[in-house]
Amino acid sequence: MGERVIGLISGTSVDGIDVAVADLRADGDEIVLTPLGALEVGYPEELRAALLAALPPAPTTAEQLTKLDTRVGQAFAGAAGQGLDRFGPADLVASLGQTVFHWVEDGHARGTLQLGQPAWIAERTGLPVVADLRARDVAAGGHGAPLASTLDRLWLRALAESTGQPAVGLNIGGIANITVVQPDGTAIAYDTGPGNALLDLAAFRTTGRPRDENGELAAQGEPDETLLRRLLAEPYYAAEPPKSTGKELFHAAYLDDVLPTTKPADLLATLTELTARTIADACARHGARTVVASGGGVENPALMRALAANLSDARLVTSDELGLPRAAKEAYLTALLGWLTWHGLPANVPSATGARGARLLGSITPGRT
């Protein structure tokens, strides 16, 4: 038997907290991850609004960040408690927290801030908590992201080997990221650009709803090719990996000068095409033949149709088809990262993040004993 690990994460969409419980054990030179169950715990609406109000380009204060760090930590603690209640006892909790700022300057990551004080989780559950999992990679010269590369390299290598062609792990959250796994097991990974970030902002600004449910509004519109060309001129897309981004770049100011002149449906259709095309262009650049998708964006039929149309030379499947629930993949990734740290094993992929070498990640908050 291995350890039962609870993985916790809230992504850049700030929708809520994903909780996954996994059994993890070593089997020779392999790691075996068995999914035991997952759930999503929504943020209290007041807390979600406060988090969104603190994200760039909005100004914030030390008081706001302190209060949010505590309140997010308490929310994560409650989510871990729900995981224990539903799926039984665990040995360890791993938390990727809530990213509120990812500092990238001149193409280099300088710092990253995740809220959700792990002491609250340890106090609530009595379990040790591995948290702050990105900072060490950044200190080693990496981007601290996408850490999905750790799971994807282990998981998709057999697929790449069997086909003799690159396989891509794709996560579409607020920001989209890919991991390209070669048949020899080498991997690179990076953020491709916006996933749901601009879509959700546009939906809220035009309809007052937090998202365009099922892509229904986008499906009624047509992409504005002039606007799309302008958006695709963003220098980030042409930058070479390793690279990372976030809502520090893809935020509301992107939409300010186009909202009054573009029909809501056409704006959503254009942003859907932007996400699909930037993901597909990145996959094509690496000769991908299979793209394994997960994350909230997979639940948007309009986005998946646009992505499939742009991925003309690659097969698009969801992670469910390979045994990993698409809604909980990032939480299972977090459980894996925590397990690696707990066992003294490096948890980053330097070729993906740009770090100077393999590193143990995170800090450990002791449990009750």
Side-chain angles (χ1 to χ4, degrees):
M1 286 292 292
E3 283 90 8
R4 291 169 61 102
V5 185
I6 299 176
L8 305 171
I9 183 174
S10 178
T12 47
S13 294
V14 198
D15 288 332
I17 304 162
D18 292 323
V19 183
V21 181
D23 179 271
L24 281 147
R25 59 184 175 86
D27 184 4
D29 60 356
E30 293 186 344
I31 298 169
V32 179
L33 185 157
T34 304
L36 300 178
L39 68 150
E40 181 180 4
V41 180
Y43 277 130
E45 190 52 45
E46 181 190 0
L47 176 54
R48 183 173 189 270
L51 277 166
L52 291 172
L55 295 180
T60 189
T61 66
E63 178 184 357
Q64 282 178 284
L65 290 177
T66 301
K67 290 179 177 179
L68 286 172
D69 192 35
T70 291
R71 294 173 64 194
V72 172
Q74 291 169 337
F76 270 60
Q82 289 192 40
L84 290 168
D85 291 342
R86 184 173 302 186
F87 303 115
D91 303 294
L92 178 70
V93 179
S95 173
L96 265 168
Q98 176 69 68
T99 298
V100 291
F101 194 79
H102 192 64
W103 177 20
V104 179
E105 192 174 285
D106 300 326
H108 298 282
R110 308 294 187 185
T112 186
L113 179 62
Q114 286 75 46
L115 299 184
Q117 172 53 244
W120 292 100
I121 306 171
E123 189 65 24
R124 167 67 175 78
T125 65
L127 299 174
V129 181
V130 182
D132 200 20
L133 286 154
R134 300 188 189 276
R136 181 64 184 276
D137 186 84
V138 172
H143 279 261
L147 293 179
S149 54
T150 304
L151 186 152
D152 288 339
R153 183 178 65 165
L154 295 168
W155 181 42
L156 298 180
R157 179 173 182 173
L159 175 61
E161 284 180 340
S162 67
T163 62
Q165 297 172 319
V168 169
L170 164 66
N171 183 71
I172 311 175
I175 300 298
N177 61 69
I178 61 170
T179 304
V180 183
V181 183
Q182 300 291 344
D184 64 0
T186 59
I188 63 170
Y190 56 93
D191 294 336
T192 60
N196 303 316
L198 295 179
L199 285 166
D200 290 349
L201 279 168
F204 182 73
R205 297 278 288 275
T206 58
T207 70
R209 298 193 298 268
R211 64 190 60 83
D212 179 18
E213 290 292 344
N214 299 315
E216 291 175 0
L217 187 57
Q220 298 170 27
E222 293 291 334
D224 181 324
E225 290 297 330
T226 301
L227 174 57
L228 183 59
R229 284 195 298 272
R230 199 169 105 203
L231 293 170
L232 286 168
E234 164 58 51
Y236 179 81
Y237 303 126
E240 291 296 318
K243 60 182 180 177
S244 59
T245 190
K247 289 185 176 178
E248 304 76 31
L249 175 59
F250 297 107
H251 52 58
Y254 244 74
L255 307 177
D256 287 342
D257 58 348
V258 300
L259 278 170
T261 59
T262 309
K263 294 179 182 177
D266 290 346
L267 177 59
L268 268 295
T270 304
L271 295 175
T272 298
E273 184 66 18
L274 173 70
T275 291
R277 193 172 298 185
T278 50
I279 291 171
D281 286 351
C283 292
R285 193 174 301 131
H286 302 289
R289 290 297 176 266
T290 305
V291 177
V292 185
S294 61
V298 176
E299 309 306 325
N300 181 333
L303 177 55
M304 291 299 282
R305 286 194 298 270
L307 184 55
N310 280 280
L311 285 171
S312 55
D313 295 328
R315 180 172 68 107
L316 177 64
V317 299
T318 67
S319 64
D320 304 78
E321 296 174 56
L322 275 70
L324 204 55
R326 62 180 180 264
K329 182 194 167 190
E330 294 277 285
Y332 282 116
L333 159 69
T334 308
L336 170 65
L337 296 174
W339 185 89
L340 290 168
T341 294
W342 190 247
H343 285 271
L345 297 169
N348 64 335
V349 178
S351 62
T353 66
R356 289 184 290 272
R359 296 290 188 272
L360 286 166
L361 301 185
S363 301
I364 297 173
T365 300
R368 190 166 294 132
T369 59

